Amino acid sequence: MPTTIVSPELVGRSDELAEILAAYEKAAGGESVTVLVSGEAGIGKSRLTSTALASLPGDPLVLSGGCLELGASGTPWVPFVAVLRDLLRTWGAERLRAQLPSDGTALAAWLPELGLTPADGGQIRLFEELVALLDLAARDRAVVVLIEDLQWADASSRELFVYLARNLGPRAVLLVGTVRTGDLAAAHPTRQLLGELGRRAEIVQLELQPLSRQQVGALLSAIEGQPAHPVVSAEIHRRSAGNPLFVEALRASGTSPAGLANLTTLLLDRVADLSSDARQLLETIAVAGAEVTDELLSEVCDGPPDNALRELIERNQLIATTDGYAIRHDLIREAVYGSLLPGQRRRLHARYAHVLGDRTNPSAALAEHWAAAGEPALSLAAAWQAAAVASQQHAYDEQLHLLERVLTLWSAASAAHIEADRVDVLLAAVEAAYAAGRSTSGVAYATEALADLDASSAPAQAARLLGLRGLLRNRIDNSGIEDLTAAVELVPAGADDVLRSRLLSSLAYLHCIDGLQSRAQACATEAYELARGDDSLRAAALLVFGWVDDRNGDVPSALQQYADCRAAAEAGGDHYTYLTAVQWAGLTLNKNGHREEAVALIAAAQQSAERWGLGRARGSMLAQNRAYALFYLGRWDEALDVVDDALADGPPPRHDAALRFLVAQIACRRGDLDYAGELISIASDTFGERRPAAFEHFFTSLRVLVLAGQGDLDAAEKVLADHFDKVLTSTDVLYYETAWVLLVGVYFERLSRSHRRQPATRLPEVRALLADGESRWPTVAAALRTAEAAESNTLKSWDAAVAAWRALSEPYELAMTLTAAASAALATSNKPGARLRLTEAQALATDLSATPLLTEIAALTTRAGLAEAPVVANAYGLTARELVVLKVLARGLSNAEIARELFVSSNTVATHVARILRKLSVTTRTEAVASAHGNGLLTP
């Protein structure tokens, strides 16, 4: 058995823990309850029960015993003898002996060392004596009886367990049994026990299910002490099928040969006692590699193997699907397949290949079986034909995999079986990689094809390869312009207008990402003119026109252009452009405050992306835009789930970094600055100096927030000042994106002033720059209201900012401005107004789990004396309010500065300071601070 790394936390079992606790509370109240925890081996039954019992309140008496794997052939009563010995250790021999019948006991043989007098009376007397002992024990405190591994219980123990479940009655006893159900045959007596008890309404049955992908990620994160990579989580979830033991074993073994060998041994132990026929059938299905239909299995086996199938299903090794069968755990399939001799594997693969080859449609399975059977030429031909079918079915991952097989098997002899040269295959692989979102592979194949190609003799083919490579490179690190420019030059006007139009639209698309509006519009205009009614070509140009209108703030026209683009793309069968139009329309809606509409539109498009095989290529960016809309709406946990699902697909590097950047936004606002900083570094490493213009604004904003939160105000100020210098000298103004940096600048200036700094961030100039966008973007207007309020710091101006954010339904910014408005109210001694605003801000921040903002609200509430005065225990008799004054005084502030911060008069501060000096028996403020530090009075 491999060494496993056990998670320090129990993951994914909160509902089951709650049910056990509820059952215990009922039992502790005097009404016995029985709980049965069932599930396959490794699912976490023992972990659940040990965690649950360790957390039970009231110090219950826990008596436990486990059944031995010897089962019915072993010694009877084993688990209950262990229970009685637990009671003996708790009570001692004298007390236990005194509680048993003096004229003899049926339990004498269980404790021979006590020298008890045996008594006849059969099982019923033994059962009743044990019930009587539990009854006596439960009079002192609640009792928990845990019997583990009931699947191995002998007949007598099973009968006793059932008897206790039926007859404990009104006693403070919780009876818990764990049972492995995964590999029990239908006729196994434990299944009969479960069936019998399951019919009783008072029995609590907890059948543990496999962990979800998200729960596997949480389990790995708990083990590693840091967030697990979603792709790793998804792969381990797939291989383990959500079994916690397998998850931990995979995490421990990694790629270590010894670890994997030990894991294989563990897995094969689970099928070691199958009948010969069942084991042979399991091996045959393992060779299939995936689900196998009933019809195919019957042909491969020369007849339906009904008895062996029934055994495997009853032993929980197979799942019966609608059309056939699949091995329940992929890890077990891998282990069984690996245990076959090479000759066995080849023969079985050849058998599958011959049967599949008689069917009409070529498939990936046929290519795989021929390859494993040692027939490379047949495998290559099957893979090439199957790749064409996969493309028609939008199965681009499978198409790419098949084309990679063709390239791997390529040789002069094998290639004679298909009508294509190697460059044709490479080009098909590049196209498949682009559709599948496998950017790195696509770039490699395009580069290889271009090296084998003479661009002067085949300019169109070279241009297609360069165009695709440029788009793929853009997904990796935002480059690719050079490739697209070269591609366009290879196809002059009149040479191939369809190809030139497509390449120009692709080049325009990259110019959009870089924020180069005039270049994008020029390329798209020519592309549209060359389209000449071709819907797919028109759609690609209309997409860019929509982006240009959005940049100009013409929202109705932008949305109409995107709608026209979708209609043309749908008519032309261009799924990629259709989804991009939805993505960009969602951005427009989001930027203009229509976020619920954006969420609904993009969610529907994500489903279409999955249906069209573009989940990774386009779905990942749709997910990012949907998550951002959810983020602004304050649905942060939902946004994180959307991001996690997208990351689990392994999106292209640039998309991956953009998704993680959203996680960083939330982490920062929830106070996890180190994690946010790590995610910023990932984004920085991915993009280098080629960050898209729009992204650069958000990147700067988050860097400033993290640096300021970590206390490095000088570095934060430099980042902000450098960025504003670029903004104010740029010829293109990104109004919406710059508005968010303005907000961060406002926050930074307020923070700096609280630290008695006077930063130079050019906020007035940025505000003036954004004035033109106020009427076109509501977010710009709200940001300007916030900046104006920060400058004037009047309650009226802050309430105007509050109203702007309230209209946009953005709870975080609303809470921020409410907090600032409360501070302005306190400056005019308007405590009721401050309390009202802080109460709403606190509720919003609590819903968001925005810890830093909650801390700020609490501090402001305390400084203003709005909270109920807590009872403060200290040796000097300082009141809660005096402690607040002392902590502010320790920062070196004068009485007037303390008064401004605590929203009181200078006379009030002087009174507090005088009392503090007197209570601390000191004469100066410096001595007071020293005494406070020395006596821990300044510790939070």
Side-chain angles (χ1 to χ4, degrees), residues 30 137 171 317 370 402 414 424 500 546 550 786 875:
R171 296 178 176 87
Q317 299 302 332
W370 278 132
L402 288 162
S414 300
D424 291 330
R500 181 174 175 82
D550 176 74
T786 305

Side-chain angles (χ1 to χ4, degrees), residues 871-890:
V871 177
V872 180
N874 60 77
Y876 301 94
L878 293 171
T879 66
R881 192 61 173 164
E882 288 165 353
L883 280 173
V884 171
V885 173
L886 178 58
K887 289 175 181 178
V888 180
L889 183 150

Side-chain angles (χ1 to χ4, degrees), residues 259-581:
L260 293 174
N262 287 334
L263 179 56
T264 298
T265 301
L266 167 68
L267 295 165
L268 291 177
D269 282 346
R270 303 183 66 174
V271 299
D273 59 346
L274 292 172
S275 69
S276 176
D277 287 348
R279 176 61 186 257
Q280 185 175 351
L281 180 61
L282 191 66
E283 292 169 349
T284 302
I285 296 174
V287 170
E291 179 182 338
V292 58
T293 65
D294 190 67
E295 178 187 2
L296 176 59
L297 189 61
S298 295
E299 289 187 54
V300 170
C301 296
D302 292 323
D306 292 340
N307 291 334
L309 278 172
R310 188 173 293 109
E311 180 181 345
L312 290 172
I313 291 171
E314 289 176 354
R315 295 289 299 275
N316 216 34
Q317 299 302 332
L318 281 190
I319 300 172
T321 65
T322 303
D323 299 318
Y325 310 95
I327 296 177
R328 178 173 293 275
H329 286 292
D330 201 48
L331 278 176
I332 292 180
R333 187 199 65 75
E334 293 172 13
V336 171
Y337 182 83
S339 70
L340 292 172
L341 295 173
Q344 285 179 288
R345 281 200 292 267
R346 283 196 300 272
R347 286 190 294 273
L348 282 169
H349 279 296
R351 178 63 181 154
Y352 272 108
H354 281 296
V355 172
L356 289 169
D358 293 336
R359 304 187 176 195
T360 54
N361 290 331
S363 66
L366 178 61
E368 297 284 354
H369 287 306
W370 278 132
E375 298 287 352
L378 294 174
S379 177
L380 183 146
W384 178 248
Q385 295 171 24
V389 174
S391 176
Q392 294 165 6
Q393 296 172 341
H394 310 304
Y396 301 116
D397 273 310
E398 182 173 328
Q399 180 194 8
L400 179 59
H401 173 69
L402 288 162
L403 293 170
E404 287 171 336
R405 177 167 293 283
V406 171
L407 293 167
T408 300
L409 296 171
W410 192 270
S411 69
S414 300
H417 289 74
I418 64 173
E419 296 179 358
D421 61 26
R422 186 172 176 83
V423 172
D424 291 330
V425 178
L426 286 167
L427 176 57
V430 175
E431 291 173 335
Y434 181 68
R438 301 294 187 187
S439 303
T440 303
S441 296
V443 168
Y445 290 134
T447 302
E448 184 179 350
L450 286 165
D452 293 344
L453 189 67
D454 181 1
S456 62
S457 60
Q461 200 170 24
R464 288 175 65 191
L465 285 163
L466 281 167
L468 285 166
R469 191 174 72 173
L471 291 170
L472 288 161
R473 280 178 165 169
N474 187 261
R475 290 182 186 166
I476 295 173
D477 60 6
N478 206 47
S479 62
I481 290 284
E482 298 83 358
D483 276 346
L484 258 304
T485 302
V488 170
E489 291 173 354
L490 282 172
V491 189
D496 184 339
D497 286 349
V498 170
L499 179 56
R500 181 174 175 82
S501 175
R502 194 168 301 284
L503 292 171
L504 282 166
S505 289
S506 295
L507 182 57
Y509 172 79
L510 296 197
H511 286 321
C512 291
I513 293 173
D514 279 346
L516 303 174
Q517 182 172 334
S518 58
R519 294 184 189 180
Q521 189 160 15
C523 289
T525 299
E526 184 183 350
Y528 191 84
E529 291 169 354
L530 294 172
R532 297 189 180 91
D534 184 306
D535 285 320
S536 178
L537 298 180
R538 286 179 55 248
L542 287 168
L543 176 71
V544 178
F545 296 155
W547 178 85
V548 171
D549 285 341
D550 176 74
R551 280 289 302 272
N552 291 330
D554 190 346
V555 175
S557 180
L559 293 175
Q560 185 59 55
Q561 295 276 25
Y562 290 138
D564 292 344
C565 172
R566 295 201 298 273
E570 192 169 25
D574 186 349
H575 297 149
Y576 194 95
T577 300
Y578 178 95
L579 293 171
T580 305

Side-chain angles (χ1 to χ4, degrees), residues 905-940:
S905 68
S906 295
N907 289 336
T908 301
V909 173
T911 301
H912 283 310
V913 171
R915 290 172 179 169
I916 290 168
L917 297 179
R918 185 175 69 253
K919 290 180 179 180
L920 294 179
S921 300
V922 296
T923 57
T924 69
R925 298 158 72 95
T926 302
E927 290 174 340
V929 172
S931 176
H933 276 296
N935 292 286
L937 295 174
L938 300 179
T939 302

Side-chain angles (χ1 to χ4, degrees), residues 510-751:
L510 296 197
H511 286 321
C512 291
I513 293 173
D514 279 346
L516 303 174
Q517 182 172 334
S518 58
R519 294 184 189 180
Q521 189 160 15
C523 289
T525 299
E526 184 183 350
Y528 191 84
E529 291 169 354
L530 294 172
R532 297 189 180 91
D534 184 306
D535 285 320
S536 178
L537 298 180
R538 286 179 55 248
L542 287 168
L543 176 71
V544 178
F545 296 155
W547 178 85
V548 171
D549 285 341
D550 176 74
R551 280 289 302 272
N552 291 330
D554 190 346
V555 175
S557 180
L559 293 175
Q560 185 59 55
Q561 295 276 25
Y562 290 138
D564 292 344
C565 172
R566 295 201 298 273
E570 192 169 25
D574 186 349
H575 297 149
Y576 194 95
T577 300
Y578 178 95
L579 293 171
T580 305
V582 175
Q583 177 197 339
W584 287 8
L587 274 174
T588 299
L589 291 168
N590 190 22
K591 284 164 39 174
N592 288 276
H594 306 293
R595 295 191 170 110
E596 294 285 4
E597 187 178 346
V599 169
L601 177 70
I602 296 173
Q606 283 184 275
Q607 294 178 350
S608 296
E610 292 295 332
R611 189 169 66 252
W612 293 331
L614 298 170
R616 187 182 301 108
R618 276 294 79 190
S620 54
M621 289 307 283
L622 285 164
Q624 184 209 9
N625 292 351
R626 178 179 163 205
Y628 260 107
L630 292 167
F631 166 67
Y632 290 124
L633 288 168
R635 292 153 61 179
W636 291 358
D637 291 329
E638 192 177 342
L640 291 174
D641 287 341
V642 170
V643 169
D644 187 68
D645 286 340
L647 288 173
D649 282 340
R654 183 168 65 84
H655 299 184
D656 183 287
L659 286 160
R660 290 178 185 278
F661 194 75
L662 176 60
V663 179
Q665 298 271 25
I666 295 174
C668 176
R669 287 160 177 80
R670 283 183 165 170
D672 195 347
L673 299 177
D674 290 341
Y675 183 41
E678 291 173 14
L679 295 172
I680 290 173
S681 295
I682 291 173
S684 182
D685 292 343
T686 300
F687 289 110
E689 297 302 317
R690 301 191 63 91
R691 289 189 290 270
F695 184 74
E696 181 68 26
H697 291 278
F698 295 110
F699 185 81
T700 297
S701 299
L702 192 54
R703 281 191 67 201
V704 171
L705 288 174
V706 170
L707 289 168
Q710 293 172 334
D712 194 346
L713 299 185
D714 290 337
E717 181 176 347
K718 185 177 188 315
V719 170
L720 191 60
D722 289 347
H723 184 75
F724 279 155
D725 287 344
K726 294 177 185 176
V727 167
L728 292 168
T729 56
S730 173
T731 55
D732 286 323
V733 181
L734 295 178
Y735 289 93
Y736 174 80
E737 293 81 356
T738 304
W740 289 106
V741 193
L742 174 67
L743 284 172
V744 171
V746 169
Y747 159 77
F748 181 74
E749 284 212 344
R750 293 182 65 218
L751 180 66

